[in-house]
Amino acid sequence: MNYITKISQILNIGIHQVAKTIELLESGATVPFIARYRKEATGSLDEVQILAIRDHLNRMKELDKRRDVILQSICEQGKLTPELEKKIMDAEIMSELEDLYLPYKPKRKTRATVAISKGLEPLAHKLFQQNQFDVEAESAKYVSDEKEVHSEAEALAGARDIIAEWVNEDATARNRMRNLYKRTAFLSSKVAKNKEEEGEKYQSWFDWNEPAMKAPSHRILAMLRGEEEGFLKIKVEPENNEAAIETLEKTFIKGHNDASKQVKTAIADSYKRLLSPSMETEILGILKEKADAEAINVFTENLRQLLLASPLGQKTVLAIDPGFRTGCKVVCLDKQGQLLHNETIYPFTSTVVESEAIKKVEHLVEAYKIEAIAIGNGTAGRETEAFVRRAYFKNTPIIVMVNESGASIYSASDVARREFPNYDVTVRGAVSIGRRLMDPLSELVKIDPKSIGVGQYQHDVNQPKLQEALTDTVVSCVNNVGVELNTASKELLTYVSGIGPTIAQNIVDYRNENGEFESRVQLKKVPRLGEKVFELCAGFLRIRNAKNPLDQSAVHPERYKLVEQMARHANCSVPELLEQKEYRDKINIREFITPDCGLPTLQDIMKELEKPGRDPRTKFEVFEFNKNINKIEDLVAGMILPGIVTNITAFGAFVDIGVHQDGLVHVSQMADRFVSNPNEVVRLQQNVLVRVLDVDISRRRINLSMRNCKTQ
């Protein structure tokens, strides 16, 4: 069965759809490009389905690579039989493949290899056959000082070591053990010796026990972290070890004689010394892989919501990075996010200095015609917000608290140094806060997603898989929104379909040397940006106020002639077709169907003509915290407060209510109905109302509820 058929069956997607998707992927097409501009080829598969096809294809290729290595290894040993080869070729999962290879895998020194070197393998074979014979007399034949076998007991012990290894390496036995562990194994944890006080944060798992395969991802990752840090001891074993041994005995015991007794003893030893630890490692690996997948899903969904958060848009912004002792760094940005002015104010040192700081802010707002004030939500954030609200403005700008997670990472990065080589980290951090308000996506792509502060246990999960998932998410978001070609940073351009870091830099260099792009076709003059890259990227790049209005839209250049045909059909120009609904209403798109341009693409084109370059992100909404609640000590159980969702995990959502410590809304408190996935109820950066359930000031823990609180 080939890749296409297998993937089609696994994902329940048509064979033709899978085949065309794989063909496009292997020709170099990107996932966003395929999803948006090749709908006829794939049957309108979305990005999630295309990524699933890609990932299954990669896994199958990796399996086949490993299969080839195993076949070559066994063949070189001269042990590859037609039957074994068929089993290896038929194996569809890695564990099955590795089980078949285990008996032939080059080994380090083991008790079995030592016994074999002493010439005890024939005795092991005879015992394993379990025919009736005099075991002691037979074992006496193998006593030899030269071979360092000094007694019948030593000979039998060595033979049992060999049998124990055979049992451990038997593919059928391993599969039965694997299934038994999956059905009945329990995951337990105990506190490490003398670590009770030091490991207090893991107290919940000092004496924990639950069915292994039902353990939730966040608990698995927490316990594994506790073990990694030396505070917990984790164990995975069946509820009844005797049942596991009985399963092995049913597999291998053939009689009731003395030889069978030796085999039975070897089976018990094999289970305790070899199989059980091996299965424990394997099941922990399965649990870790499952927990990683769920944690990565949580992280990528949070990242998607954060990247697609509502932009304020092109406004003049005054941004403040708050601070008590070191003062507040203030910057003024123009509508394109360019730095116009920066200085430091000290509103928290004395009444006189605060008065001067207020006058300074009032002056800057007036001088630079500021339309919005962005205030970082870190230390002194609420106090700075209160200070700004005491100022008087002729034309009051909107005042917004901005999540500054990762701003310090950006401010010290090479990207920030290249952008602002003559300014220190405090200025760069304030600029980042202001730009985040204007366009979160454009600013956040400059930061490693792992530094943004969303998700759970992101540093504990498989890092290559996490990085791939996060990159996929950023690419999806950037191309979903589209990128303004003449203002985009290198970092933003890097994520555009088909471009990458080198061509992104070439685009920026070309723009700096030749001025703004006037048309998409001009991209072909950029070094290394050939026809293939142009095909992949052009539809995702926008040129505001371009001579050809289609250059502002998501209509791909390959469809410009089609749009011109539509305009002629409606007796108008292309600009008129975009501007006036009456002309678009004249178009019957079915008349324009061709073999390579079907209804899905035509419907997309009509949507674009209606709202060229439309931003899929929601409209920006101004949010304010309760002015009377500024610190955790102000909280009282029963209060209902406005808040912003800052992080979503498998067990609930964290909400910023303006007291410098996020509160947790446990999944059981998110709605009046049962909720299994917090993303069903809230999204990142959503404005919500929450009720304070209880507050632990000493541990700085706040428990909140959204039940019977209307979400905003």
Side-chain angles (χ1 to χ4, degrees):
M1 195 186 298
N2 62 24
Y3 295 148
I4 294 169
T5 307
K6 286 180 183 176
I7 294 171
S8 173
Q9 291 177 350
I10 292 168
L11 299 178
N12 195 26
I13 296 173
I15 286 179
H16 176 74
Q17 292 173 287
V18 173
K20 291 302 293 184
T21 301
I22 290 175
E23 181 184 325
L24 286 163
L25 287 167
E26 296 194 331
S27 73
T30 64
V31 173
F33 176 80
I34 296 169
R36 182 176 294 185
Y37 296 117
R38 292 296 179 262
K39 291 183 176 179
E40 284 72 25
T42 69
S44 296
L45 295 181
D46 61 25
E47 286 190 11
V48 174
Q49 292 169 305
I50 295 167
L51 284 169
I53 291 171
R54 182 201 69 182
D55 293 344
H56 275 83
L57 178 65
N58 290 340
R59 278 195 289 272
M60 288 177 179
K61 286 182 175 180
E62 285 300 313
L63 185 68
D64 278 349
K65 278 185 187 175
R66 182 61 179 157
R67 194 192 319 274
D68 290 343
V69 169
I70 287 171
L71 284 169
Q72 185 179 349
S73 174
I74 299 174
C75 189
E76 288 172 354
Q77 297 173 42
K79 297 177 181 178
L80 186 63
T81 64
E83 182 186 9
L84 178 58
E85 184 175 14
K86 185 178 186 307
K87 286 181 179 178
I88 290 171
M89 292 304 298
D90 290 344
E92 294 190 1
I93 56 175
M94 196 66 80
S95 61
E96 184 182 356
L97 200 55
E98 295 296 343
D99 282 353
L100 291 168
Y101 182 44
L102 191 57
Y104 308 95
K105 199 171 186 177
K107 295 180 177 65
R108 56 181 176 79
K109 187 176 180 181
T110 66
R111 280 166 50 171
T113 59
V114 171
I116 290 170
S117 71
K118 293 180 179 181
L120 296 173
E121 193 169 15
L123 176 60
H125 276 297
K126 189 156 188 175
L127 290 170
F128 207 42
Q129 290 168 2
Q130 300 174 56
N131 296 321
Q132 183 66 46
F133 66 94
D134 188 332
V135 170
E136 285 195 13
E138 186 66 24
S139 62
K141 297 176 184 177
Y142 294 88
V143 175
S144 164
D145 288 339
E146 184 183 345
K147 296 271 190 177
E148 296 185 359
V149 180
H150 304 296
S151 65
E152 292 89 340
E154 278 191 29
L156 289 172
R160 289 196 301 270
D161 286 341
I162 296 170
I163 293 170
E165 194 162 275
W166 290 343
V167 169
N168 177 56
E169 294 177 349
D170 184 87
T172 300
R174 292 185 70 83
N175 195 44
R176 287 176 180 171
M177 284 297 99
R178 186 176 293 114
N179 290 335
L180 183 141
Y181 265 70
K182 286 180 180 179
R183 289 195 316 271
T184 70
F186 273 72
L187 172 67
S188 61
S189 70
K190 302 282 185 186
V191 62
K193 189 175 181 181
N194 300 324
K195 294 287 185 177
E196 290 83 358
E197 288 187 19
E198 194 180 349
E200 185 186 3
K201 66 179 177 179
Y202 295 106
Q203 188 173 9
S204 300
W205 300 286
F206 279 3
D207 189 16
W208 188 266
N209 194 45
E210 67 180 316
M213 300 308 291
K214 293 182 179 179
S217 63
H218 59 274
R219 192 143 63 227
I220 292 167
L221 292 172
M223 291 164 70
L224 288 172
R225 181 187 286 182
E227 183 176 55
E228 178 71 21
E229 293 178 0
F231 300 121
L232 298 176
K233 295 289 185 183
I234 295 177
K235 188 83 179 160
V236 175
E237 60 183 351
E239 193 172 17
N240 184 352
N241 281 307
E242 293 304 316
I245 294 173
E246 285 175 15
T247 299
L248 292 172
E249 289 176 354
K250 287 176 184 177
T251 305
F252 295 105
I253 299 298
K254 302 174 185 176
H256 300 283
N257 51 43
D258 289 344
S260 299
K261 289 178 183 176
Q262 293 293 325
V263 174
K264 189 173 182 178
T265 302
I267 287 171
D269 172 54
S270 179
Y271 176 74
K272 181 179 179 181
R273 184 168 55 86
L274 302 172
L275 256 175
S276 180
S278 176
M279 287 297 116
E280 180 177 38
T281 299
E282 190 170 319
I283 296 301
L284 273 174
I286 291 170
L287 293 177
K288 174 71 162 55
E289 189 174 349
K290 169 190 152 192
D292 281 2
E294 291 185 23
I296 289 170
N297 284 340
V298 168
F299 199 149
T300 54
E301 181 55 35
N302 283 351
L303 178 63
R304 180 179 298 279
Q305 293 178 20
L306 197 59
L307 292 174
L308 296 179
S310 308
L312 176 64
Q314 293 190 316
K315 307 281 186 184
T316 49
V317 171
L318 182 147
I320 304 177
D321 188 358
F324 285 119
R325 183 180 56 82
T326 56
C328 298
K329 182 59 67 176
V330 179
V331 298
C332 297
L333 308 175
D334 68 14
K335 295 186 180 200
Q336 281 71 46
Q338 297 302 310
L339 178 62
L340 303 174
H341 176 82
N342 80 93
E343 64 179 278
T344 305
I345 58 174
Y346 298 89
F348 307 118
T349 52
S350 70
T351 305
V352 173
V353 177
E354 179 188 345
S355 179
E356 292 174 358
I358 286 178
K359 289 178 182 176
K360 175 57 68 177
V361 171
E362 291 171 343
H363 167 72
L364 292 174
V365 168
E366 181 68 22
Y368 291 97
K369 297 181 171 52
I370 296 298
E371 298 169 273
I373 297 177
I375 302 168
N377 69 342
T379 303
R382 288 301 308 281
E383 292 80 1
T384 302
E385 180 194 19
F387 150 75
V388 169
R389 291 189 184 280
R390 289 196 289 274
Y392 169 75
F393 306 110
K394 293 178 183 177
N395 297 301
T396 305
I398 63 171
I399 300 170
V400 184
M401 295 289 290
V402 176
N403 188 332
E404 63 178 48
S405 294
S408 59
I409 301 293
Y410 161 78
S411 62
S413 69
D414 290 338
V415 175
R417 280 193 288 273
R418 283 196 301 270
E419 282 195 276
F420 301 105
N422 300 319
Y423 296 95
D424 65 19
V425 292
T426 60
V427 174
R428 298 171 193 158
V431 170
S432 182
I433 289 168
R435 287 177 172 176
R436 284 188 190 199
L437 177 61
M438 299 166 74
D439 188 348
L441 178 61
S442 295
E443 195 61 21
L444 291 173
V445 294
K446 300 174 184 176
I447 304 168
D448 181 348
K450 285 180 283 189
S451 302
I452 294 176
V454 296
Q456 57 181 27
Y457 303 104
Q458 58 261 38
H459 300 294
D460 299 299
V461 303
N462 182 300
Q463 294 302 296
K465 286 185 178 179
L466 174 62
Q467 192 61 53
E468 181 182 52
L470 295 178
T471 300
D472 286 340
T473 301
V474 178
V475 166
S476 173
C477 292
V478 168
N479 291 283
N480 185 32
V481 171
V483 170
E484 173 56 42
L485 180 57
N486 285 319
T487 58
S489 65
K490 173 198 169 183
E491 288 68 36
L492 187 58
L493 287 166
T494 295
Y495 289 104
V496 173
S497 168
I499 289 183
T502 301
I503 296 177
Q505 185 62 57
N506 291 349
I507 290 172
V508 172
D509 292 343
Y510 183 91
R511 195 172 64 196
N512 291 340
E513 292 168 12
N514 300 281
E516 293 189 345
F517 287 89
E518 296 178 356
S519 68
R520 280 170 167 167
V521 74
Q522 197 179 342
L523 279 163
K524 294 181 181 180
K525 296 181 180 179
V526 173
R528 297 186 63 178
L529 201 156
E531 289 291 340
K532 183 63 178 180
V533 175
F534 180 79
E535 177 188 50
L536 295 176
C537 74
F540 302 101
L541 295 168
R542 313 276 186 266
I543 301 177
R544 189 178 290 110
N545 301 321
K547 184 177 180 181
N548 185 339
L550 294 178
D551 281 348
Q552 304 178 51
S553 74
V555 176
H556 197 282
E558 67 188 8
R559 302 299 178 199
Y560 283 8
K561 287 184 179 179
L562 176 63
V563 176
E564 289 165 7
Q565 281 182 279
M566 290 178 171
R568 286 196 296 270
H569 182 83
N571 294 316
C572 67
S573 65
V574 170
E576 287 172 331
L577 190 63
L578 272 73
E579 292 164 6
Q580 299 183 42
K581 183 177 183 296
E582 63 188 78
Y583 289 119
R584 294 194 298 274
D585 288 344
K586 292 181 181 181
I587 305 296
N588 178 1
I589 58 175
R590 294 185 180 276
E591 296 178 9
F592 295 90
I593 293 175
T594 64
D596 72 330
C597 182
L599 209 54
T601 295
L602 290 165
Q603 289 169 336
D604 284 349
I605 289 172
M606 293 306 293
K607 287 178 184 174
E608 263 317 294
L609 296 180
E610 183 181 347
K611 293 181 179 178
R614 65 193 186 282
D615 193 324
R617 294 173 289 185
T618 56
K619 187 179 178 182
F620 183 84
E621 295 179 2
V622 178
F623 170 85
E624 287 186 33
F625 290 113
N626 185 311
K627 294 181 176 64
N628 300 314
I629 306 297
N630 296 290
K631 54 187 184 296
I632 195 169
E633 288 80 7
D634 295 336
L635 298 176
V636 176
M639 283 181 169
I640 295 180
L641 301 169
I644 299 177
V645 178
T646 58
N647 197 6
I648 302 172
T649 69
F651 52 84
F654 287 91
V655 177
D656 182 1
I657 53 176
V659 296
H660 305 302
Q661 178 64 51
D662 291 353
L664 172 64
V665 181
H666 189 266
V667 67
S668 63
Q669 293 293 328
M670 299 195 77
D672 296 329
R673 59 182 174 83
F674 171 76
V675 175
S676 60
N677 179 3
N679 275 303
E680 295 174 19
V681 182
V682 295
R683 66 181 187 279
L684 218 58
Q685 299 295 298
Q686 181 178 342
N687 301 344
V688 295
L689 287 175
V690 292
R691 179 186 298 103
V692 179
L693 293 178
D694 59 75
V695 183
D696 186 335
I697 294 176
S698 62
R699 299 171 72 186
R700 300 196 66 76
R701 289 189 177 180
I702 307 165
N703 288 321
L704 306 170
S705 174
M706 286 171 51
R707 297 176 68 174
N708 298 316
C709 292
K710 186 179 178 182
T711 57
Q712 298 181 320

